[in-house]
Amino acid sequence: VRSVAQRSIELAKSDLENWGIIHLSSDNYCSFFDKSKSCTYCMIGNRDDLHTRPKFCLDYPYVNIRWKNETRRSLAIECPEACGQILMSPTSIWLESTKHISSASHSPLDSIYHAINTECISVALRPELTLTEKLFTIGKITLNNQPDIGDKSLNSKNINSRLKTLASSLTTQTIREGLAKTPHDMALQWKVFAEIGSQVSALANVENVPAMANFWSDIYQDIHQTQGNGEQKIALLDEVWNHTVVPISHEFPPIVTNYLFYRIYHDGYPYHPQISSLESFYQLVTHCFIIRNLVSYWVMFYSQIRKSKIIDIVNIYHRWLRQYPNAIADTAQSLKNSGLYDPEKINQLLVHKN
């Protein structure tokens, strides 16, 4: 156990929540697992009761996250094992939380954020809507319910009624009509993807999947070689998405729903300590747009894609979001450079070639 720990544990000791990192093995399993996937730590002295395991191992790959006045049980998408469960298992995340602060001690805006969060989760679970349609609907809910301490009409007493009225008006037909009126500017879409995609591909952390290193370097080179042909490249990425990726999403239906559900539940959408709720929507739309095109790039390079590669791409993208401190600011700047940092114009990233 000591030798495995010396090889696999990197001490950080930055705070109580981040004392160190346990590196996974080449096949993405805990380094303390033996060939039968049994924990060697727990087998010391033939102990087989789970109580001998550290708390983290008992919960692995689950984590507890603090959101407002709650502790929510969730999964860390930056973990390869957790990312696979999030995307592929329809029951990987449960709405499980524990309140640990009295209601009198938190902001009156908290109940509004909770109500919006709950309504957006409901939208994410609507089976008749595509990912694009769900994001469009979430945007409407966010735009029309901006939490503001000075807005006396938006309080805990009427927010649920207001949200229900709005949600009932957002029928499938209304949503599709709204998207149909949204301009489809592939040049702007490419501009956004080229700026953010080149950063992601240049900084992609592939230590757990070294075989994918060439994929990210090829994307980086292709982005810089495309130059004035961005519209054609976006059209090609849309085509391979529709012809190859969509059928896979039908074969594994939890992928899209689980990912959006996770982002809303785990991230506590639309609340963010550094940006407004509307800016949180901009970020959510952009993340989905970038991941869509990264997956399409894999298909374009290799003509096919397996679910394991979708997991790897989503996992590596989110590790970039977590490890690169300027990810949020640079994403916002890319949207501003393209003129899409606007509550109506941001929807242009949701329009794709059918």
Side-chain angles (χ1 to χ4, degrees):
V1 171
R2 184 179 293 109
S3 62
V4 172
Q6 290 173 342
R7 292 195 308 269
S8 306
I9 297 179
E10 177 184 337
L11 294 180
K13 297 183 179 178
S14 57
D15 53 57
L16 291 176
E17 298 297 324
N18 183 26
W19 64 270
I21 298 170
I22 300 178
H23 295 289
L24 301 181
S25 62
S26 58
D27 54 358
N28 286 339
Y29 284 103
C30 177
S31 298
F32 286 95
F33 280 7
D34 61 17
K35 293 181 179 180
S36 64
K37 301 299 182 289
S38 297
C39 180
T40 55
Y41 176 88
C42 300
M43 292 169 61
I44 297 174
N46 294 323
R47 295 183 309 212
D48 56 3
D49 60 299
L50 293 179
H51 298 292
T52 63
R53 297 190 184 188
K55 184 180 183 303
F56 176 81
C57 298
L58 281 171
D59 294 336
Y60 176 83
Y62 285 87
V63 294
N64 289 325
I65 56 170
R66 174 76 173 270
W67 191 78
K68 290 298 184 178
N69 66 323
E70 293 182 7
T71 294
R72 289 185 167 185
R73 189 165 177 79
S74 185
L75 289 156
I77 201 169
E78 299 86 2
C79 166
E81 171 64 20
C83 187
Q85 290 196 29
I86 289 167
L87 297 182
M88 296 300 165
S89 173
T91 59
S92 62
I93 307 175
W94 297 94
L95 286 171
E96 179 181 326
S97 64
T98 303
K99 292 189 177 182
H100 53 79
I101 301 177
S102 67
S103 59
S105 65
H106 63 89
S107 166
L109 292 183
D110 288 359
S111 58
I112 299 173
Y113 279 118
H114 273 277
I116 297 173
N117 181 257
T118 300
E119 189 59 46
C120 289
I121 286 175
S122 298
V123 172
L125 297 177
R126 285 177 61 174
E128 78 278 12
L129 300 181
T130 64
L131 175 61
T132 292
E133 292 163 352
K134 290 175 180 180
L135 288 168
F136 181 83
T137 308
I138 289 169
K140 291 297 182 184
I141 292 172
T142 306
L143 177 62
N144 287 280
N145 296 281
Q146 290 290 293
D148 183 355
I149 195 68
D151 186 355
K152 301 303 180 183
S153 67
L154 196 62
N155 54 56
S156 58
K157 293 183 179 179
N158 61 25
I159 184 63
N160 287 318
S161 174
R162 183 166 166 172
L163 283 169
K164 286 182 179 179
T165 301
L166 176 60
S168 64
S169 69
L170 294 170
T171 63
T172 303
Q173 181 179 351
T174 302
I175 296 166
R176 291 174 180 170
E177 288 174 352
L179 281 168
K181 296 176 183 178
T182 304
H184 186 195
D185 191 328
M186 290 187 286
L188 277 181
Q189 288 184 344
W190 175 255
K191 181 176 175 62
V192 172
F193 177 76
E195 288 189 14
I196 302 174
S198 60
Q199 280 193 14
V200 177
S201 56
L203 299 172
N205 185 334
V206 294
E207 62 183 13
N208 289 322
V209 279
M212 290 188 71
N214 289 339
F215 167 66
W216 296 101
S217 63
D218 288 345
I219 288 181
Y220 184 83
Q221 292 178 13
D222 189 78
I223 288 174
H224 289 277
Q225 291 172 356
T226 297
Q227 297 183 2
N229 300 318
E231 293 184 49
Q232 293 92 327
K233 186 56 61 71
I234 285 292
L236 177 59
L237 292 172
D238 282 350
E239 182 178 345
V240 298
W241 175 272
N242 292 326
H243 289 171
T244 306
V245 183
V246 170
I248 292 178
S249 67
H250 290 160
E251 184 179 353
F252 302 100
I255 292 179
V256 172
T257 298
N258 279 21
Y259 178 74
L260 187 55
F261 172 82
Y262 173 85
R263 292 300 309 276
I264 295 171
Y265 173 72
H266 180 91
D267 295 354
Y269 179 90
Y271 174 77
H272 192 284
Q274 300 173 347
I275 57 179
S276 70
S277 57
L278 190 56
E279 290 171 311
S280 291
F281 176 66
Y282 298 165
Q283 294 282 330
L284 178 62
V285 168
T286 307
H287 297 329
C288 292
F289 172 75
I290 299 298
I291 290 174
R292 171 192 169 109
N293 286 311
L294 291 174
V295 172
S296 295
Y297 250 106
W298 180 278
V299 177
M300 187 176 71
F301 287 158
Y302 305 108
S303 301
Q304 61 181 352
I305 192 165
R306 301 189 304 274
K307 65 178 184 179
S308 61
K309 292 306 174 187
I310 296 177
I311 294 171
D312 288 337
I313 290 170
V314 172
N315 173 246
I316 290 173
Y317 179 78
H318 275 272
R319 290 168 68 187
W320 169 78
L321 281 178
R322 183 181 181 91
Q323 296 171 356
Y324 182 54
N326 296 325
I328 292 178
D330 286 356
T331 297
Q333 189 59 51
S334 294
L335 294 175
K336 292 174 182 176
N337 294 342
S338 303
L340 299 180
Y341 205 72
D342 178 270
E344 295 300 329
K345 293 181 180 179
I346 188 65
N347 288 330
Q348 292 187 41
L349 293 183
L350 299 177
V351 182
H352 304 287
K353 180 181 178 182
N354 293 322

